[in-house]
Amino acid sequence: SSFPFHCRPVVHGFSRGSKQLSIPTANFPEQVVDNLPADISTVIYYDWASVGSGDVHKMVVSIGWNPYYKNTKKSMETHIMHTFKEDFYGEILNVAIVGYLRLENNFDSLESLISAIQGDTEEAKKLLDLPEHLKIKEDNFFQVSK
Ligand code: ADP
Ligand code: MG
């Protein structure tokens, strides 16, 4: 499989208004999700990511069934910690998965889901600043994408 490096086009998600919650999540195509090893389901990871040949940013990715929304299909959704001027549907998203944050939980309210995601991004920001993780940002993988 392509774990832990991925570069795939961004596809349309479920349009359930993630952006309206200030947490846009770029979705990977279904076949990427289907090809992930079965044992890396339902988890939140922290990563480095770039769009096309753009700069490398911190990111969180959730792979799972999105229990809050009762999805029947697994999805891989990525929130990049950067404010983009425009949407980037169809562009190549380059992702280096760095480490594991937590298992995906079921949330009893939208508020608890949002605060969990905000907690994840805060923790991911700190972890990615560790020297061993910072150096992945300079990985050949991202240079080749330029
Ligand atoms: P969808 O249901 O189509 O995934 P979202 O509301 O989750 O819609 O928004 C995701 C889209 O927003 C991405 O596909 C991307 O084009 C855009 N986007 C803009 N900024 C970001 C960001 N910081 N992280 C992820 N996606 C972003
Ligand atoms: Mg989305």
Side-chain angles (χ1 to χ4, degrees):
S1 90
S2 48
F3 179 83
F5 290 101
H6 303 270
C7 41
R8 291 286 149 58
V10 173
V11 298
H12 282 267
F14 310 101
S15 297
R16 60 198 175 195
S18 316
K19 217 178 286 170
Q20 282 66 39
L21 307 174
S22 306
I23 315 168
T25 60
N27 288 65
F28 268 127
E30 244 172 60
Q31 68 266 31
V32 174
V33 183
D34 294 342
N35 286 329
L36 292 170
D39 60 343
I40 66 151
S41 61
T42 64
V43 286
I44 317 288
Y45 292 101
Y46 55 97
D47 335 66
W48 291 108
S50 66
V51 176
S53 57
D55 293 340
V56 182
H57 302 289
K58 292 174 178 177
M59 182 190 110
V60 286
V61 59
S62 114
I63 298 166
W65 302 96
N66 295 293
Y68 179 79
Y69 293 99
K70 310 248 182 293
N71 281 343
T72 50
K73 235 185 141 38
K74 220 192 232 181
S75 70
M76 179 166 173
E77 306 205 15
T78 60
H79 174 63
I80 303 172
M81 294 173 224
H82 178 73
T83 305
F84 291 88
K85 287 202 192 83
E86 289 174 343
D87 285 353
F88 44 84
Y89 289 110
E91 294 208 40
I92 300 296
L93 181 60
N94 308 294
V95 176
I97 296 182
V98 176
Y100 163 89
L101 269 184
R102 64 171 173 84
L103 290 172
E104 190 177 43
N105 291 317
N106 207 340
F107 296 98
D108 49 15
S109 72
L110 196 54
E111 288 70 30
S112 62
L113 171 64
I114 293 168
S115 73
I117 295 170
Q118 285 166 346
D120 290 340
T121 59
E122 286 314 308
E123 203 179 337
K125 274 187 206 167
K126 284 185 220 147
L127 288 165
L128 287 162
D129 277 334
L130 296 172
E132 69 263 38
H133 294 154
L134 266 178
K135 73 173 186 248
I136 299 171
K137 192 182 178 182
E138 313 302 330
D139 192 279
N140 218 8
F141 168 72
F142 289 114
Q143 306 313 316
V144 169
S145 327
K146 292 206 179 252

